[in-house]
Amino acid sequence: MTDRTPPRRSLGERVQSLYVRVLLRLLPHLINAFKHVSPNIRAEVDYLEPGYTFMLSVSGTGLACACRRTASGAFKRVPPSRIARDVEPGSGLASADAQAVAVDYVIAFRSPAYAFACFSGGTTLKAALAERAFSTRGPNNTGVALTYMFTALLKLNLSDGKPANPGTYYANLYQLSGDQLKWSVYSDLAEESGKYIAKLEFTHASDW
C-alpha cells in the first residue's frame, strides 16, 4: 500500500482554522460580556434554562465548543472530557453518567470555511442556512433562541457597518475592564494580491 501525504493546507485555510478556533474558545466569554450590552442577547440567554448546553462544531476537525448555562445566567465552557459519550448530542436523552454533561443542541458546520464565513461576518446565518453550511440537531424552540442570540452577537461583535471586500475580514478591538477581556483580530486573506496580515490578541482572567 502506498502512503499518501495529506494535501497541504494553504495559508488562508490555516488562518481560517485559527480564527474559528479562537472564536470558539472565546464564545462563552463573548456571550457573557455582550449580554450586558444587547437586550436581544440577554433576552435569548434568559429564555434558556439553567443547565442547558449547546455545542458548536466543525465537521471533520477537532474544532468544537460546548457551553452550558449556569444558575447565575452565565455560560461556561464544558471541557470535552465532561461531554456525555453514551448519548448522541442533541438527542434529548439523559446520560447514565451523573457526572457527564449531555448536549441539548448542536450546530455543526460543514467545513472551517463555512464557519469562518459566519464568524467573520462574510455571510449571515440566514444565508448560511440556505446554503446548508451547517446542520442542527435538538429542540426547535431553543434552536430559534440560539439563532436569534448568535445573529445579535455577530452583528454587535463583528460588523462595522461596511461590506467586507472579498477575502478580507475584520474583528474590532474590545476591552472590557470588568471582564478583563481584550481581543483584536485583523486578517487580509486576499489571495489575488498574495498578501497576508493577521493579528490575534486576547486575554482573560478565567482559566481557559
Side-chain angles (χ1 to χ4, degrees), residues 111-191:
S111 71
Y114 280 123
F116 179 77
C118 285
F119 291 171
S120 65
T123 188
T124 64
L125 288 179
K126 183 178 180 180
L129 182 60
E131 295 175 5
R132 299 188 178 182
F134 59 87
S135 60
T136 62
R137 185 177 186 184
N140 289 334
N141 59 331
T142 57
V144 171
L146 288 174
T147 299
Y148 287 152
M149 182 184 73
F150 283 125
T151 299
L153 180 64
L154 291 171
K155 286 182 177 180
L156 178 65
N157 188 34
L158 299 177
S159 175
D160 59 4
K162 301 177 182 179
N165 294 324
T168 304
Y169 301 87
Y170 303 90
N172 297 327
L173 170 68
Y174 291 93
Q175 187 166 2
L176 306 174
S177 57
D179 204 32
Q180 296 187 28
L181 171 62
K182 184 179 181 182
W183 176 42
S184 177
V185 178
Y186 169 77
S187 63
D188 184 345
L189 306 176
E191 295 183 357

Side-chain angles (χ1 to χ4, degrees), residues 13-33:
E13 290 172 333
R14 294 199 299 273
V15 172
Q16 287 182 4
S17 292
L18 175 60
Y19 189 103
V20 172
R21 186 181 300 277
V22 171
L23 263 292
L24 290 176
R25 195 69 169 175
L26 287 173
L27 182 58
H29 306 311
L30 293 174
I31 296 173
N32 294 335

Side-chain angles (χ1 to χ4, degrees), residues 50-67:
Y52 180 84
T53 304
F54 71 87
M55 174 187 288
L56 265 66
S57 65
V58 181
S59 300
T61 74
L63 300 174
C65 178
C67 300

